[in-house]
Amino acid sequence: MTAGSAAQSVANQASDPVARARGLVVAYGPRVAIASSDFEVPSACVTAVIGPNGSGKSTLLHALAGLVRPHSGTLEVLGGAPEHAHDRVAYVLQTAGVNRVLPVTVGEVVAMGRYGGRGLIGRWRPDDREAVDHALARLDIVDLAGRHLRELSTGQRQRALVAQGLAQQADVLLLDEPVTALDIPSHEAIDVVIEEEVASGRTVVITTHDLDEARRADHVLLLGGRVVAEGSPGEVLTDERLLEAYGAHLLHAEPGDGQRAVSIDDPHHHTH
């Protein structure tokens, strides 16, 4: 994933955001997952959502997708309630959350991205087939279309899920840790489509445990049970902000050139 030019990023963030929250609280029964937070997601940019385990990253994606409603405060997506924008928002789960023994092929998985507009028994049209074929080609998995999920590697399954999101042709693409622990070809293939989606004017929101990945984004939301900070990577990923979000899990090291590096003492994070 590569951020666009500084000028393009500024221009994108000056336009209306695709999502805006004010005093947003998200809870599951009595448990508050995200305490009162204000944030925006700029359009036509990559926004990285980063924070320790249990900080609310996946919950934030659920809220943006309209799968969980605010306990209090407001959240708008594409100018209205998130549940009203579901056909314009594609949500791609990480492969670990998908049952790999389901008796479905890669082609069928990707075709599910068209169900939102057609339904399970809706009439299949030429543009549906074109969208599915194009998504398979973009993730370089055309040759896997007839294979079942159980026959695939982790990286191949993740590419199939991302292709499903692309087939939806949504304005906003939500990706939950899309490249965590993937093989290099799958990682690179997904990075390329993220760049292409943003270049075409779409908005991509990813959750990540990787500081370097967050630094390459256009916009960052740093979570720690709430939105601790938001803005450009340089504004958000500072020692002070990271310490506020990660606490004792934030470490420092002195590399050979004398410049201090930040690392995260968490097995789900890459260290830097």
Side-chain angles (χ1 to χ4, degrees), residues 133-160:
D133 290 345
H134 187 47
L136 289 165
R138 290 177 67 186
L139 273 301
D140 194 22
I141 53 173
V142 172
D143 59 331
L144 302 178
R147 294 177 61 182
H148 285 77
L149 289 185
R150 64 177 177 272
E151 301 176 290
L152 306 182
S153 68
T154 298
Q156 290 169 333
R157 282 195 300 274
Q158 187 65 32
R159 278 191 270 172

mmCIF file of all heavy atoms in Angstrom, residues 133-160:
data_model
loop_
_atom_site.group_PDB
_atom_site.id
_atom_site.type_symbol
_atom_site.label_atom_id
_atom_site.label_comp_id
_atom_site.label_asym_id
_atom_site.label_seq_id
_atom_site.Cartn_x
_atom_site.Cartn_y
_atom_site.Cartn_z
ATOM 1 N N ASP A 133 -15.661 -11.661 -12.988
ATOM 2 C CA ASP A 133 -14.471 -12.027 -13.757
ATOM 3 C C ASP A 133 -13.358 -11.005 -13.568
ATOM 4 O O ASP A 133 -12.173 -11.367 -13.453
ATOM 5 C CB ASP A 133 -14.816 -12.145 -15.242
ATOM 6 C CG ASP A 133 -15.682 -13.359 -15.553
ATOM 7 O OD1 ASP A 133 -15.786 -14.252 -14.686
ATOM 8 O OD2 ASP A 133 -16.270 -13.399 -16.658
ATOM 9 N N HIS A 134 -13.730 -9.734 -13.534
ATOM 10 C CA HIS A 134 -12.732 -8.676 -13.371
ATOM 11 C C HIS A 134 -12.087 -8.750 -11.989
ATOM 12 O O HIS A 134 -10.868 -8.593 -11.850
ATOM 13 C CB HIS A 134 -13.386 -7.312 -13.577
ATOM 14 C CG HIS A 134 -12.428 -6.165 -13.603
ATOM 15 N ND1 HIS A 134 -11.257 -6.167 -14.342
ATOM 16 C CD2 HIS A 134 -12.456 -4.964 -12.964
ATOM 17 C CE1 HIS A 134 -10.616 -5.017 -14.168
ATOM 18 N NE2 HIS A 134 -11.311 -4.280 -13.323
ATOM 19 N N ALA A 135 -12.890 -9.018 -10.970
ATOM 20 C CA ALA A 135 -12.357 -9.124 -9.610
ATOM 21 C C ALA A 135 -11.407 -10.312 -9.487
ATOM 22 O O ALA A 135 -10.342 -10.215 -8.867
ATOM 23 C CB ALA A 135 -13.500 -9.256 -8.604
ATOM 24 N N LEU A 136 -11.761 -11.456 -10.085
ATOM 25 C CA LEU A 136 -10.886 -12.617 -10.074
ATOM 26 C C LEU A 136 -9.550 -12.300 -10.750
ATOM 27 O O LEU A 136 -8.480 -12.681 -10.252
ATOM 28 C CB LEU A 136 -11.553 -13.789 -10.789
ATOM 29 C CG LEU A 136 -12.730 -14.460 -10.071
ATOM 30 C CD1 LEU A 136 -13.507 -15.352 -11.035
ATOM 31 C CD2 LEU A 136 -12.253 -15.279 -8.875
ATOM 32 N N ALA A 137 -9.624 -11.593 -11.861
ATOM 33 C CA ALA A 137 -8.408 -11.264 -12.604
ATOM 34 C C ALA A 137 -7.525 -10.300 -11.819
ATOM 35 O O ALA A 137 -6.296 -10.445 -11.808
ATOM 36 C CB ALA A 137 -8.779 -10.665 -13.959
ATOM 37 N N ARG A 138 -8.132 -9.329 -11.165
ATOM 38 C CA ARG A 138 -7.346 -8.343 -10.424
ATOM 39 C C ARG A 138 -6.575 -8.974 -9.271
ATOM 40 O O ARG A 138 -5.494 -8.510 -8.918
ATOM 41 C CB ARG A 138 -8.262 -7.225 -9.900
ATOM 42 C CG ARG A 138 -8.803 -6.317 -10.992
ATOM 43 C CD ARG A 138 -9.740 -5.285 -10.429
ATOM 44 N NE ARG A 138 -9.033 -4.340 -9.570
ATOM 45 C CZ ARG A 138 -9.640 -3.383 -8.853
ATOM 46 N NH1 ARG A 138 -10.958 -3.284 -8.892
ATOM 47 N NH2 ARG A 138 -8.935 -2.560 -8.107
ATOM 48 N N LEU A 139 -7.118 -10.016 -8.672
ATOM 49 C CA LEU A 139 -6.429 -10.708 -7.582
ATOM 50 C C LEU A 139 -5.645 -11.922 -8.080
ATOM 51 O O LEU A 139 -5.090 -12.663 -7.263
ATOM 52 C CB LEU A 139 -7.429 -11.125 -6.508
ATOM 53 C CG LEU A 139 -7.743 -10.093 -5.412
ATOM 54 C CD1 LEU A 139 -6.478 -9.686 -4.655
ATOM 55 C CD2 LEU A 139 -8.450 -8.872 -5.949
ATOM 56 N N ASP A 140 -5.588 -12.103 -9.392
ATOM 57 C CA ASP A 140 -4.818 -13.175 -10.008
ATOM 58 C C ASP A 140 -5.245 -14.549 -9.495
ATOM 59 O O ASP A 140 -4.410 -15.397 -9.152
ATOM 60 C CB ASP A 140 -3.322 -12.952 -9.760
ATOM 61 C CG ASP A 140 -2.450 -13.827 -10.662
ATOM 62 O OD1 ASP A 140 -2.943 -14.270 -11.715
ATOM 63 O OD2 ASP A 140 -1.281 -14.093 -10.294
ATOM 64 N N ILE A 141 -6.552 -14.782 -9.439
ATOM 65 C CA ILE A 141 -7.064 -16.075 -8.965
ATOM 66 C C ILE A 141 -8.074 -16.669 -9.935
ATOM 67 O O ILE A 141 -8.904 -17.490 -9.551
ATOM 68 C CB ILE A 141 -7.700 -15.948 -7.557
ATOM 69 C CG1 ILE A 141 -8.758 -14.824 -7.519
ATOM 70 C CG2 ILE A 141 -6.629 -15.722 -6.495
ATOM 71 C CD1 ILE A 141 -9.522 -14.766 -6.208
ATOM 72 N N VAL A 142 -7.981 -16.281 -11.210
ATOM 73 C CA VAL A 142 -8.885 -16.833 -12.219
ATOM 74 C C VAL A 142 -8.754 -18.352 -12.256
ATOM 75 O O VAL A 142 -9.750 -19.084 -12.363
ATOM 76 C CB VAL A 142 -8.592 -16.233 -13.602
ATOM 77 C CG1 VAL A 142 -9.406 -16.946 -14.680
ATOM 78 C CG2 VAL A 142 -8.899 -14.740 -13.605
ATOM 79 N N ASP A 143 -7.523 -18.841 -12.157
ATOM 80 C CA ASP A 143 -7.296 -20.285 -12.237
ATOM 81 C C ASP A 143 -7.782 -21.032 -11.006
ATOM 82 O O ASP A 143 -7.819 -22.268 -10.994
ATOM 83 C CB ASP A 143 -5.809 -20.569 -12.452
ATOM 84 C CG ASP A 143 -4.930 -20.019 -11.340
ATOM 85 O OD1 ASP A 143 -5.320 -19.001 -10.736
ATOM 86 O OD2 ASP A 143 -3.860 -20.606 -11.085
ATOM 87 N N LEU A 144 -8.172 -20.303 -9.959
ATOM 88 C CA LEU A 144 -8.665 -20.936 -8.740
ATOM 89 C C LEU A 144 -10.186 -20.928 -8.654
ATOM 90 O O LEU A 144 -10.750 -21.426 -7.678
ATOM 91 C CB LEU A 144 -8.112 -20.209 -7.506
ATOM 92 C CG LEU A 144 -6.593 -20.125 -7.358
ATOM 93 C CD1 LEU A 144 -6.226 -19.340 -6.106
ATOM 94 C CD2 LEU A 144 -5.987 -21.522 -7.305
ATOM 95 N N ALA A 145 -10.863 -20.382 -9.648
ATOM 96 C CA ALA A 145 -12.305 -20.154 -9.566
ATOM 97 C C ALA A 145 -13.097 -21.424 -9.266
ATOM 98 O O ALA A 145 -14.116 -21.379 -8.577
ATOM 99 C CB ALA A 145 -12.816 -19.513 -10.856
ATOM 100 N N GLY A 146 -12.630 -22.566 -9.758
ATOM 101 C CA GLY A 146 -13.368 -23.800 -9.547
ATOM 102 C C GLY A 146 -12.949 -24.580 -8.317
ATOM 103 O O GLY A 146 -13.521 -25.645 -8.039
ATOM 104 N N ARG A 147 -12.000 -24.083 -7.556
ATOM 105 C CA ARG A 147 -11.512 -24.804 -6.384
ATOM 106 C C ARG A 147 -12.268 -24.398 -5.129
ATOM 107 O O ARG A 147 -12.744 -23.266 -5.002
ATOM 108 C CB ARG A 147 -10.014 -24.567 -6.206
ATOM 109 C CG ARG A 147 -9.185 -25.159 -7.343
ATOM 110 C CD ARG A 147 -7.716 -24.855 -7.201
ATOM 111 N NE ARG A 147 -7.156 -25.399 -5.971
ATOM 112 C CZ ARG A 147 -5.883 -25.223 -5.598
ATOM 113 N NH1 ARG A 147 -5.061 -24.504 -6.360
ATOM 114 N NH2 ARG A 147 -5.439 -25.755 -4.478
ATOM 115 N N HIS A 148 -12.383 -25.317 -4.167
ATOM 116 C CA HIS A 148 -13.078 -25.042 -2.917
ATOM 117 C C HIS A 148 -12.152 -24.330 -1.926
ATOM 118 O O HIS A 148 -10.922 -24.462 -2.011
ATOM 119 C CB HIS A 148 -13.599 -26.344 -2.300
ATOM 120 C CG HIS A 148 -14.813 -26.882 -3.010
ATOM 121 N ND1 HIS A 148 -14.727 -27.543 -4.215
ATOM 122 C CD2 HIS A 148 -16.132 -26.847 -2.687
ATOM 123 C CE1 HIS A 148 -15.939 -27.895 -4.600
ATOM 124 N NE2 HIS A 148 -16.813 -27.491 -3.696
ATOM 125 N N LEU A 149 -12.753 -23.612 -0.993
ATOM 126 C CA LEU A 149 -11.981 -22.863 -0.005
ATOM 127 C C LEU A 149 -11.017 -23.765 0.761
ATOM 128 O O LEU A 149 -9.897 -23.364 1.075
ATOM 129 C CB LEU A 149 -12.917 -22.163 0.988
ATOM 130 C CG LEU A 149 -13.730 -20.964 0.489
ATOM 131 C CD1 LEU A 149 -14.495 -20.351 1.650
ATOM 132 C CD2 LEU A 149 -12.848 -19.922 -0.163
ATOM 133 N N ARG A 150 -11.453 -24.975 1.072
ATOM 134 C CA ARG A 150 -10.617 -25.869 1.879
ATOM 135 C C ARG A 150 -9.333 -26.275 1.158
ATOM 136 O O ARG A 150 -8.399 -26.769 1.782
ATOM 137 C CB ARG A 150 -11.410 -27.117 2.262
ATOM 138 C CG ARG A 150 -11.834 -27.992 1.092
ATOM 139 C CD ARG A 150 -12.552 -29.253 1.551
ATOM 140 N NE ARG A 150 -13.024 -30.058 0.433
ATOM 141 C CZ ARG A 150 -14.196 -29.888 -0.148
ATOM 142 N NH1 ARG A 150 -15.025 -28.953 0.295
ATOM 143 N NH2 ARG A 150 -14.550 -30.666 -1.171
ATOM 144 N N GLU A 151 -9.290 -26.073 -0.158
ATOM 145 C CA GLU A 151 -8.122 -26.451 -0.942
ATOM 146 C C GLU A 151 -7.097 -25.325 -1.057
ATOM 147 O O GLU A 151 -6.036 -25.530 -1.633
ATOM 148 C CB GLU A 151 -8.558 -26.861 -2.351
ATOM 149 C CG GLU A 151 -9.533 -28.020 -2.406
ATOM 150 C CD GLU A 151 -9.996 -28.303 -3.815
ATOM 151 O OE1 GLU A 151 -10.751 -27.485 -4.375
ATOM 152 O OE2 GLU A 151 -9.579 -29.341 -4.358
ATOM 153 N N LEU A 152 -7.404 -24.172 -0.503
ATOM 154 C CA LEU A 152 -6.581 -22.990 -0.711
ATOM 155 C C LEU A 152 -5.657 -22.711 0.465
ATOM 156 O O LEU A 152 -5.925 -23.097 1.603
ATOM 157 C CB LEU A 152 -7.470 -21.760 -0.927
ATOM 158 C CG LEU A 152 -8.525 -21.842 -2.029
ATOM 159 C CD1 LEU A 152 -9.259 -20.514 -2.119
ATOM 160 C CD2 LEU A 152 -7.903 -22.211 -3.358
ATOM 161 N N SER A 153 -4.592 -21.993 0.176
ATOM 162 C CA SER A 153 -3.724 -21.482 1.233
ATOM 163 C C SER A 153 -4.404 -20.281 1.882
ATOM 164 O O SER A 153 -5.405 -19.746 1.366
ATOM 165 C CB SER A 153 -2.379 -21.051 0.658
ATOM 166 O OG SER A 153 -2.539 -19.904 -0.169
ATOM 167 N N THR A 154 -3.864 -19.832 2.998
ATOM 168 C CA THR A 154 -4.421 -18.660 3.682
ATOM 169 C C THR A 154 -4.416 -17.446 2.754
ATOM 170 O O THR A 154 -5.399 -16.704 2.680
ATOM 171 C CB THR A 154 -3.608 -18.349 4.946
ATOM 172 O OG1 THR A 154 -3.687 -19.459 5.840
ATOM 173 C CG2 THR A 154 -4.148 -17.108 5.650
ATOM 174 N N GLY A 155 -3.314 -17.241 2.048
ATOM 175 C CA GLY A 155 -3.227 -16.097 1.147
ATOM 176 C C GLY A 155 -4.222 -16.160 0.014
ATOM 177 O O GLY A 155 -4.831 -15.152 -0.357
ATOM 178 N N GLN A 156 -4.428 -17.350 -0.533
ATOM 179 C CA GLN A 156 -5.392 -17.511 -1.620
ATOM 180 C C GLN A 156 -6.818 -17.249 -1.145
ATOM 181 O O GLN A 156 -7.617 -16.620 -1.839
ATOM 182 C CB GLN A 156 -5.277 -18.913 -2.216
ATOM 183 C CG GLN A 156 -3.990 -19.148 -2.996
ATOM 184 C CD GLN A 156 -3.770 -20.601 -3.349
ATOM 185 O OE1 GLN A 156 -4.250 -21.506 -2.642
ATOM 186 N NE2 GLN A 156 -3.057 -20.863 -4.426
ATOM 187 N N ARG A 157 -7.137 -17.741 0.053
ATOM 188 C CA ARG A 157 -8.477 -17.479 0.606
ATOM 189 C C ARG A 157 -8.685 -15.988 0.814
ATOM 190 O O ARG A 157 -9.763 -15.448 0.530
ATOM 191 C CB ARG A 157 -8.677 -18.226 1.930
ATOM 192 C CG ARG A 157 -8.974 -19.702 1.773
ATOM 193 C CD ARG A 157 -9.511 -20.285 3.080
ATOM 194 N NE ARG A 157 -8.566 -20.140 4.171
ATOM 195 C CZ ARG A 157 -7.593 -20.991 4.445
ATOM 196 N NH1 ARG A 157 -7.425 -22.056 3.682
ATOM 197 N NH2 ARG A 157 -6.783 -20.793 5.463
ATOM 198 N N GLN A 158 -7.653 -15.301 1.329
ATOM 199 C CA GLN A 158 -7.802 -13.873 1.568
ATOM 200 C C GLN A 158 -7.992 -13.119 0.254
ATOM 201 O O GLN A 158 -8.788 -12.181 0.170
ATOM 202 C CB GLN A 158 -6.585 -13.323 2.312
ATOM 203 C CG GLN A 158 -6.734 -11.877 2.756
ATOM 204 C CD GLN A 158 -7.833 -11.686 3.792
ATOM 205 O OE1 GLN A 158 -8.097 -12.575 4.606
ATOM 206 N NE2 GLN A 158 -8.485 -10.553 3.768
ATOM 207 N N ARG A 159 -7.283 -13.534 -0.790
ATOM 208 C CA ARG A 159 -7.467 -12.892 -2.087
ATOM 209 C C ARG A 159 -8.891 -13.113 -2.607
ATOM 210 O O ARG A 159 -9.493 -12.210 -3.213
ATOM 211 C CB ARG A 159 -6.447 -13.434 -3.098
ATOM 212 C CG ARG A 159 -5.096 -12.752 -2.982
ATOM 213 C CD ARG A 159 -4.208 -13.101 -4.156
ATOM 214 N NE ARG A 159 -3.417 -14.296 -3.910
ATOM 215 C CZ ARG A 159 -2.684 -14.901 -4.834
ATOM 216 N NH1 ARG A 159 -2.674 -14.442 -6.077
ATOM 217 N NH2 ARG A 159 -1.970 -15.974 -4.525
ATOM 218 N N ALA A 160 -9.447 -14.301 -2.365
ATOM 219 C CA ALA A 160 -10.815 -14.573 -2.790
ATOM 220 C C ALA A 160 -11.798 -13.654 -2.063
ATOM 221 O O ALA A 160 -12.758 -13.151 -2.667
ATOM 222 C CB ALA A 160 -11.168 -16.039 -2.539
#
